[in-house]
Amino acid sequence: MKAYIAASWQNRFRLREIRTQLAEVNIQVMSQWIDMDRDYGTGDEGSVFTQEADRDYADIDKATFLILDTTDTATRGGREWEAGYATGRNKPVIRIGPVITPFHARVAASYDSWEKYINVLRTTLENVPPRNN
């Protein structure tokens, strides 16, 4: 399965470890933005933003579902835009963290924390019977 993580820009460093944990349960994270190390500031507009938006749209299109991280309230709204785009593309959205806007209540599933979500995935994986090929 392939997931796109929509979260606050500041959380990208923490999400690198979460991406590793998701890979352990066979979920590939498509969010290339997590690997970017530059900060945004004045003068960041035009073609730079267009290229980055196009990259994120393509990553969401490749994903099976979107994970919306609302654990950090400090955001400029990119994660909301991405979640709306995924919803418009009929992709399930899973929320990690609290409901902050009414739209956060309209998700396929929700978990209080990344730890709880990953534990559910691990438990599910452990209980899958082996396939006979």
Side-chain angles (χ1 to χ4, degrees), residues 38-99:
R38 73 179 195 77
D39 286 325
Y40 287 111
T42 56
D44 288 325
E45 66 257 345
S47 65
V48 171
F49 277 180
T50 300
Q51 291 169 3
E52 291 183 5
D54 289 346
R55 179 207 57 226
D56 292 348
Y57 285 145
D59 287 350
I60 295 167
D61 287 342
K62 293 174 197 167
T64 312
F65 63 102
L66 182 136
I67 302 172
L68 176 63
D69 180 339
T70 63
T71 60
D72 181 1
T73 58
T75 181
R76 293 194 290 190
R79 70 177 180 204
E80 312 304 339
W81 186 277
E82 293 163 333
Y85 177 79
T87 300
R89 305 289 286 179
N90 293 316
K91 296 186 183 277
V93 175
I94 296 171
R95 187 189 73 250
I96 309 296
V99 171

Side-chain angles (χ1 to χ4, degrees), residues 25 111 114-126:
V25 291
Y111 299 88
W114 280 103
E115 181 181 8
K116 287 183 181 179
Y117 176 57
I118 292 170
N119 284 338
V120 165
L121 293 172
R122 285 184 177 134
T123 301
T124 302
L125 190 61
E126 290 170 1

